[in-house]
Amino acid sequence: MNTNRRSFIKKSIIGTGLLSGASLLGNEVFAHESTSSASKISLNNDDIILFQGDSITDVGRDRNNRNANDTGALGHGYALLAASQLLNKYPAKNLKVYNTGISGNRVPDLQKRWQEDTLAIKPTVLSILIGVNDFWRTIDRGAQTTVDEYKSQYQQLLHETLQKLPNVKLIIGEPFAVKGVGHITDAWYPKFLAYQESARDIAKEFGGILIPYQKIFDNAQKSAPGAYWAADGVHPTLAGAQMMASAWMECIK
């Protein structure tokens, strides 16, 4: 998104409070089911790239390690694989890549730690994958989170982000599940679809690039069963993590 539009967003938020994203961004917003050259992110020298989310992003990272570009700090999943490709492809840009995903997180958990684990890092590119636990906990632990709460909390999070970091470039991962594998039973549907739709709406509302992970995992099952890509239906295998990293890299020009 260009600087003038981000400046307008910042002034609108500060001047009028938390208006709806649609009214702030109008028809200029975009979300992509496949990234085109016009929509991809151009990396600049000294960019700070942050991966945020739940266990799919966390994947065993050392949470006491706050260093950029560090294998232990990046975990063992798609964030590490994407970071490896970024750092290999753009050695002259002095990129700094962080991962602050935490297993089990929902949007309210992100809200509680957003200042320390996102805003304080001052990312110029922010990648968020959140939502599967917001629904899953209603199935396995009796949480009362509704899809409307998921969406409104997510919106609040991004309003705050744009107020503090008006020029940040957003990548929104669509929450996904492999139906019929592991934990993913018929009880998930059709309710889970509404959470996915909300994530897509949010990408459009806030001018982020959407990564359509559900479609990506669905298409992958044409070449191998769902468990090959996500053994429990949610957490990617090594093959699934690489597939996610490759899709993430498609967002970069």
Side-chain angles (χ1 to χ4, degrees), residues 1 36-45 47 49 86 90 93 95 124-125 167 169 171 209 251-253:
M1 298 182 69
S36 65
S37 58
S39 68
K40 295 183 180 183
I41 290 173
S42 294
L43 294 177
N44 300 314
N45 291 340
D47 264 345
I49 300 159
L86 283 171
Y90 304 105
K93 288 189 178 292
L95 302 176
T124 54
V125 179
N167 296 314
K169 300 169 185 177
I171 297 174
I209 295 178
C251 298
I252 306 300
K253 186 177 293 185

Side-chain angles (χ1 to χ4, degrees), residues 26 128 201 214:
I128 308 172
D201 289 345
Q214 186 63 60

Side-chain angles (χ1 to χ4, degrees), residues 52-65:
Q52 256 288 20
D54 52 34
S55 58
I56 300 170
T57 302
D58 181 342
V59 198
R61 70 180 181 86
D62 180 356
R63 297 176 193 170
N64 295 316
N65 186 341

Side-chain angles (χ1 to χ4, degrees), residues 69-181:
N69 306 343
D70 187 290
T71 302
L74 288 166
H76 309 293
Y78 80 95
L80 172 68
L81 297 172
S84 299
Q85 293 176 62
L86 283 171
L87 296 172
N88 177 262
K89 190 172 183 178
Y90 304 105
K93 288 189 178 292
N94 191 37
L95 302 176
K96 291 182 175 61
V97 188
Y98 297 88
N99 177 5
T100 56
I102 292 183
S103 180
N105 267 195
R106 302 178 298 156
V107 176
D109 300 305
L110 293 187
Q111 289 179 309
K112 292 174 184 176
R113 62 186 183 86
W114 203 245
Q115 176 59 44
E116 178 181 2
D117 286 350
T118 300
L119 300 180
I121 295 171
K122 298 182 179 179
T124 54
V125 179
L126 174 58
S127 175
I128 308 172
L129 174 57
I130 198 74
V132 69
N133 288 318
D134 294 77
F135 174 73
W136 196 355
R137 297 294 82 90
T138 69
I139 294 290
D140 67 351
R141 299 184 189 176
Q144 300 300 311
T145 306
T146 67
V147 67
D148 290 337
E149 288 171 327
Y150 165 70
K151 187 172 185 178
S152 64
Q153 290 165 352
Y154 208 154
Q155 289 169 320
Q156 291 167 12
L157 200 67
L158 293 185
H159 276 302
E160 178 184 0
T161 302
L162 291 183
Q163 182 176 344
K164 301 290 180 60
L165 304 170
N167 296 314
V168 70
K169 300 169 185 177
L170 296 172
I171 297 174
I172 304 296
E174 177 186 35
F176 63 90
V178 181
K179 190 173 182 180
V181 176

